[in-house]
Amino acid sequence: MDRNRWKAQCQILICAAVLDAAILGLMAGTVQVRAGAADSRKELSLAEEQAILPDTGRILPAGSPEMTAEEGKENSRFAALGSVVALTFDDGPDVYTGELLDTLERYGAQATFFMLGSNVEKYGADTIPRMAALGCELGNHSYSHPNMKKLSVDDGLAQFQMTDDLIAQYNNGQGATVVRFPYGNSTDDLLAEIGRPSIMWDVDTLDWETKNVQANISAVLNNVSPGDIILMHDIHEATVESCATIVPELVNRGYELVTIHTLAAANGVDLAAGETYYGFHNGATNE
Ligand code: NI
């Protein structure tokens, strides 16, 4: 009896030990799987992928707006292609901006967003960190879209300062790197104080007027040329929908869709504060 009980106890102990080992093994396996997943996420992050695959069509890592004009001149791939173009989106962010970012991400494209402070308050949290992560450039389009020619310099500057402060909340304390005046209306006094380049455009899609997908596709694809700055508005559903066709077609035609700073750098231009730029064609602006 005693011997049998001892045997039974032994069996229970052995079973428990085997079970423990199995649980430990599972836990170790789980930890390994988790570590593996973390590693592969790191390997596949967009910035790193773009940084380590320089010859597959997308070469610009996140942070490329910092590229200098000298680096742009030395970039032989840009020199060879000469087909960089900047998509710019005004008056947002809005409910459609996320879908637009999906399209840009899908095709490895970048854009510049000239945002209104009043809309950053509503949609900035959902969109600005993602814009930055995709390497897009953040622009300031005032707080409430006034005509700057009708405001004092101080009131005009306050419009941009408020918007910078709002953008900074979602961008690690950094405001916009470029500005666009509402209606393209600036004054010399305001330009002297604004502290950043003022960006106009050379292809006006009139998307705010047509609000039509096919019309906007035609407006871009029939008029685009290398070095262009293209004006659209991501507050219109039709515009965002049209970009699902425009972006891949431009990529298909060999265009690099880049930020304003990269567009300038690729054409050997260092953007200067208080200067106004319309587009970049072999180093010349359309001023
Ligand atoms: Ni506007």
Side-chain angles (χ1 to χ4, degrees), residues 248-266:
E249 177 55 23
L250 289 176
V251 170
N252 197 37
R253 291 185 188 183
Y255 279 100
E256 293 283 347
L257 307 189
V258 299
T259 63
I260 290 295
H261 265 84
T262 299
L263 185 77

Side-chain angles (χ1 to χ4, degrees), residues 151-223:
L151 292 188
S152 69
V153 173
D154 283 349
D155 286 350
L157 287 174
Q159 283 270 332
F160 287 98
Q161 187 60 55
M162 275 194 291
T163 304
D164 277 323
D165 291 345
L166 287 161
I167 290 172
Q169 283 183 14
Y170 307 114
N171 189 41
N172 298 319
Q174 301 295 309
T177 47
V178 282
V179 303
R180 177 173 281 160
F181 293 98
Y183 318 104
N185 283 348
S186 61
T187 65
D188 289 345
D189 289 343
L190 197 49
L191 272 171
E193 300 287 332
I194 202 70
R196 281 154 294 182
S198 159
I199 308 301
M200 301 288 276
W201 55 87
D202 38 24
V203 174
D204 189 347
T205 60
L206 299 176
D207 62 336
W208 55 272
E209 198 169 49
T210 62
K211 293 196 181 96
N212 178 279
V213 176
Q214 195 53 50
N216 200 48
I217 291 170
S218 301
V220 175
L221 297 182
N222 295 345
N223 295 296

